[in-house]
Amino acid sequence: MGQCGITSSKTVLVFLNLIFWAAAGILCYIGAYVFITYDDYDHFFEDVYTLIPAVIIIAVGTLLFIIGLIGCCATIRESSCGLATFAAILLLVFVTECVVVVLGYIYRAKVEDEVNHSIQKVYNEYNGTNTDAPSRAIDYVQRQLHCCGIHNYSDWRNTRWFKESKNNSVPVSCCQPGISNCTGTLTRPADLYQEGCEALVVKKLKEIMMYVIWAALTFASIQMLGMLCACVVLCRRSHDPAYELLVTTNSYA
């Protein structure tokens, strides 16, 4: 009966190690996605420490690949030392992912204040040229999020670019798709996106942070199961003389 329980735990461990390898790739992908997306919105978000959860997620993903390798070797060779190391590293990663979840919630709560603080400055720096980074960022966000201005398209009236251009128009990135000959003129407001960008940028950045939080929570749960299985194998091995005898016999065979 004890042998069956150990075999079942070992089977689960091997399966979990395969999941860890898959999780390593998924976590690294999520971390990279956060970095790439942040690069598109970085002008609206000045606190670089917001990237800390993404950095930790990538580090955890890399570590999970190593953990899977250690776990497979320890399970196949039935090494007590290897399984103990496996369980200890899993505990460390589990704690790290709990930290990621906490940091994710902290920075997610700060997103709105950060965007509110920086978005007006970015719009004031707009000059309409492709070579200017803030201008490219605003045009990109307005096209991607289907928005115009901070709260709505009328916010452009207060920008330096609007006052200097004196053509009563907003950038063409405010034009709705499918509208032919749209020049951004305010005399045809129906051609423009009606929603402002501030709320949509906040929503997008909060969604990104939630990806990190849910990924950390999901894989932390899997790692807890891995720790439990490793502990079961270790405990039963140390308290089951028949299993120890079987392992010794197999080793000499």
Side-chain angles (χ1 to χ4, degrees):
M1 187 68 161
Q3 177 64 24
C4 282
I6 291 171
T7 303
S8 298
S9 297
K10 284 169 62 182
T11 303
V12 172
L13 264 180
V14 172
F15 179 68
L16 283 173
N17 287 323
L18 296 176
I19 292 178
F20 290 154
W21 281 332
I26 294 171
L27 288 176
C28 288
Y29 171 81
I30 291 172
Y33 171 76
V34 172
F35 268 102
I36 292 169
T37 308
Y38 179 88
D39 189 54
D40 295 329
Y41 295 88
D42 62 347
H43 286 85
F44 301 93
F45 210 78
E46 296 176 352
D47 189 358
V48 295
Y49 294 107
T50 308
L51 287 175
I52 288 177
V55 173
I56 297 175
I57 279 288
I58 291 175
V60 167
T62 305
L63 189 57
L64 273 179
F65 182 81
I66 300 171
I67 289 173
L69 190 62
I70 293 173
C72 268
C73 292
T75 305
I76 292 169
R77 296 181 65 181
E78 298 172 342
S79 166
S80 296
C81 180
L83 284 172
T85 303
F86 175 67
I89 297 176
L90 275 183
L91 178 61
L92 176 63
V93 174
F94 176 78
V95 172
T96 304
E97 288 187 329
C98 290
V99 171
V100 169
V101 172
V102 173
L103 288 175
Y105 273 108
I106 290 172
Y107 287 119
R108 189 174 183 271
K110 292 174 62 179
V111 162
E112 192 164 355
D113 290 337
E114 282 285 329
V115 173
N116 291 345
H117 178 263
S118 61
I119 195 167
Q120 184 67 59
K121 176 185 173 185
V122 178
Y123 270 82
N124 283 332
E125 291 175 352
Y126 186 87
N127 64 19
T129 62
N130 233 359
T131 56
D132 182 59
S135 298
R136 287 199 310 272
I138 289 173
D139 286 333
Y140 174 83
V141 166
Q142 292 190 152
R143 288 193 180 98
Q144 291 295 312
L145 301 183
H146 297 175
C147 58
C148 184
I150 299 174
H151 302 104
N152 56 56
Y153 60 83
S154 64
D155 293 324
W156 278 103
R157 296 179 187 274
N158 303 318
T159 64
R160 186 178 62 188
W161 174 82
F162 183 89
K163 294 172 183 176
E164 290 176 354
S165 62
K166 298 179 181 179
N167 60 5
N168 197 37
S169 296
V170 297
V172 292
S173 57
C174 283
C175 292
Q176 296 189 46
I179 303 294
S180 59
N181 302 321
C182 178
T183 60
T185 177
L186 290 177
T187 58
R188 296 176 59 183
D191 293 353
L192 310 174
Y193 293 123
Q194 302 300 304
E195 196 168 357
C197 293
E198 183 180 46
L200 294 177
V201 169
V202 169
K203 181 182 177 183
K204 181 69 175 179
L205 291 172
K206 283 187 173 183
E207 283 177 359
I208 293 167
M209 201 55 67
M210 278 307 299
Y211 294 151
V212 174
I213 291 169
W214 280 112
L217 282 173
T218 301
F219 294 115
S221 303
I222 295 171
Q223 283 153 30
M224 183 179 289
L225 183 59
M227 282 188 292
L228 288 173
C229 288
C231 289
V232 166
V233 173
L234 282 170
C235 289
R236 288 189 175 177
R237 178 170 181 172
S238 60
H239 292 94
D240 192 342
Y243 176 72
E244 194 66 48
L245 179 62
L246 178 64
V247 171
T248 305
T249 305
N250 287 340
S251 297
Y252 285 110

